[in-house]
Amino acid sequence: MLQVYTGTGKGKTTAALGVALRGAGYGLKTMMFSFLKDDPYYGEFKVYAAGFLPGFVLKQVGRDVFVDFKNPDPVDLKMCRKGWDEAKKAILSRKADIIILDELNIVLSARLLPVKEAAEFLTKHKNDLEIILTGRNAPAGIIKIAELVTDMQEVKHYFHKGVMSRNGIDH
């Protein structure tokens, strides 16, 4: 099935990783593609690098810089395309039971990749394995084809009080 975690609230990637953790308990393999990210200090990357979660593979398919969504650098467009092509190959290979496309909602809503292309591919292949998309602003075309959509809304966040991102909690 296709699951979508979207909204302004914290916890979208964490929810997807929770599915991976639960799946690992049953011997399921997860492959995660982190769009717009390239940071070895993210907790999920550390888990992958240390081999703590059996059957979990993570590929960061972005740069560790802010992406200007209104005027994206050609490098970011190229990296999004490459990451999407790698994700499609992973879905078609069926080497994993769960595929997490982290921040793909943002990539699609910012038009770094065509929503129609992604929706058509996901519609065709979503019944072959569990596919999870995370990120704010999930496009209507993605929401329409998903079997599960969770819209996480921020009610209160410590960031607004000046608390910066904390290791192991926020990234």
Side-chain angles (χ1 to χ4, degrees):
M1 292 195 195
L2 180 63
Q3 299 185 27
V4 175
Y5 298 107
T6 193
T8 60
K10 179 180 175 346
K12 297 173 286 291
T13 298
T14 305
L17 289 166
V19 175
L21 175 65
R22 190 172 275 168
Y26 286 90
L28 300 180
K29 295 177 182 173
T30 298
M31 184 170 262
M32 179 172 177
F33 293 85
S34 291
F35 289 83
L36 309 174
K37 295 178 181 175
D38 181 24
D39 187 343
Y41 298 106
Y42 274 96
E44 55 266 33
F45 188 84
K46 288 178 170 240
V47 165
Y48 163 64
F52 290 149
L53 189 59
F56 179 75
V57 174
L58 177 118
K59 294 187 176 210
Q60 294 181 326
V61 291
R63 297 188 299 156
D64 189 21
V65 298
F66 176 77
V67 176
D68 181 354
F69 295 118
K70 292 181 181 176
N71 187 25
D73 188 301
V75 171
D76 294 314
L77 295 171
K78 184 177 179 181
M79 292 184 89
C80 285
R81 171 54 62 189
K82 183 179 179 202
W84 172 238
D85 289 344
E86 288 182 30
K88 289 190 301 184
K89 285 179 188 171
I91 290 167
L92 292 171
S93 77
R94 294 186 181 89
K95 289 182 182 175
D97 305 291
I98 301 165
I99 301 282
I100 300 171
L101 304 175
D102 187 39
E103 306 296 2
L104 187 63
N105 291 334
I106 296 173
V107 167
L108 295 173
S109 68
R111 301 185 191 279
L112 302 179
L113 289 171
V115 174
K116 183 178 178 185
E117 175 188 336
E120 286 175 358
F121 180 86
L122 293 170
T123 296
K124 187 173 180 182
H125 300 286
K126 67 181 178 168
N127 297 321
D128 298 336
L129 67 163
E130 205 72 15
I131 302 173
I132 303 172
L133 277 62
T134 71
R136 294 174 180 235
N137 305 318
I142 296 298
I143 290 172
K144 182 178 178 181
I145 65 168
E147 281 73 34
L148 180 145
V149 177
T150 299
D151 188 0
M152 298 177 174
Q153 294 303 308
E154 180 181 318
V155 175
K156 189 176 185 179
H157 197 301
Y158 43 79
F159 177 78
H160 300 296
K161 290 184 176 183
V163 177
M164 300 311 289
S165 184
R166 299 171 297 152
N167 292 339
I169 304 298
D170 300 307
H171 69 83

